[in-house]
Amino acid sequence: MSKIWRLLNWFFYLRHFQCDSVGIVSAVGRLRIEKKSLIKFSGAAYLGPNLTIMNRSIVTFGDNVIIGPDVCIIDYNHDYKSRSYLPYSVENMVKPVVIGNHVWIGYGVIILPGVSVGDGAVIAAGSVVVNDVPSCAIVGGNPAKLISKRDHEVFEKLKNSKESFYLYAKN
């Protein structure tokens, strides 16, 4: 991607999203986001094609986040335990979603309301995340379960170097 295109991309996303720092927010393809003003970035992010964010509250992304294609993040749901309506109440239960720093979210992942993804986590393609993901965890499946853990020492060493992310973002 040319420097001019990246710069235009950056200005577009800064205008629509809350950014705490000057980072690259790079998006490929179409984004579907209900409330752009409630999306908050803490730094650099790569948003894959066909990202869908269905939000009624703030969805927070840390620094150095990479999101694959066809990912869906949802922060609200109907109250299915309602005593007044069937099959569910007309009111929404809103639970914010937080994505930590240095997180990789694979192809086709669905993240449901109230989930917090820890720093350095990896979410495998096709996973449905219903519970919090610990730092440095590698999770996958439906519902997503712990598959493995990243080496914490290697993660601590690499997280201070942004070289790998910026090389990826330049392509």
Side-chain angles (χ1 to χ4, degrees):
M1 186 183 303
S2 75
K3 287 182 181 181
I4 294 171
W5 180 249
R6 277 199 319 266
L7 189 60
L8 288 172
N9 231 3
W10 181 74
F11 281 121
F12 173 77
Y13 289 106
L14 272 184
R15 195 175 73 223
H16 290 288
F17 302 133
Q18 298 176 33
C19 294
D20 286 348
S21 64
V22 179
I24 298 171
V25 177
S26 177
V28 177
R30 189 168 85 175
L31 301 177
R32 291 174 290 229
I33 300 172
E34 275 189 42
K35 298 189 186 248
K36 290 182 179 114
S37 63
L38 295 176
I39 305 298
K40 182 178 178 185
F41 291 95
S42 296
Y46 173 85
L47 311 178
N50 300 319
L51 171 64
T52 300
I53 301 177
M54 299 170 60
N55 64 315
R56 303 281 166 89
S57 70
I58 294 176
V59 176
T60 306
F61 295 90
D63 186 25
N64 195 12
V65 174
I66 297 177
I67 300 176
D70 297 328
V71 168
C72 183
I73 299 171
I74 307 163
D75 78 351
Y76 65 91
N77 199 354
H78 294 289
D79 182 5
Y80 54 86
K81 294 181 180 178
S82 171
R83 294 182 182 263
S84 2
Y85 297 98
L86 286 177
Y88 51 77
S89 101
V90 292
E91 295 179 18
N92 290 315
M93 299 181 308
V94 179
K95 297 178 183 175
V97 173
V98 177
I99 310 295
N101 300 314
H102 312 286
V103 171
W104 177 18
I105 300 172
Y107 180 93
V109 168
I110 299 171
I111 298 177
L112 295 177
V115 168
S116 180
V117 179
D119 293 349
V122 176
I123 302 174
S127 299
V128 178
V129 184
V130 298
N131 296 312
D132 290 350
V133 177
S135 293
C136 293
I138 301 170
V139 299
N142 181 5
K145 296 196 183 319
L146 183 66
I147 295 172
S148 180
K149 294 280 271 183
R150 283 179 143 177
D151 184 317
H152 191 70
E153 287 180 24
V154 172
F155 171 72
E156 288 297 321
K157 179 182 171 189
L158 290 175
K159 79 176 187 180
N160 296 323
S161 167
K162 294 190 178 199
E163 237 179 65
S164 59
F165 176 74
Y166 287 115
L167 286 174
Y168 182 78
K170 287 178 186 176
N171 294 331

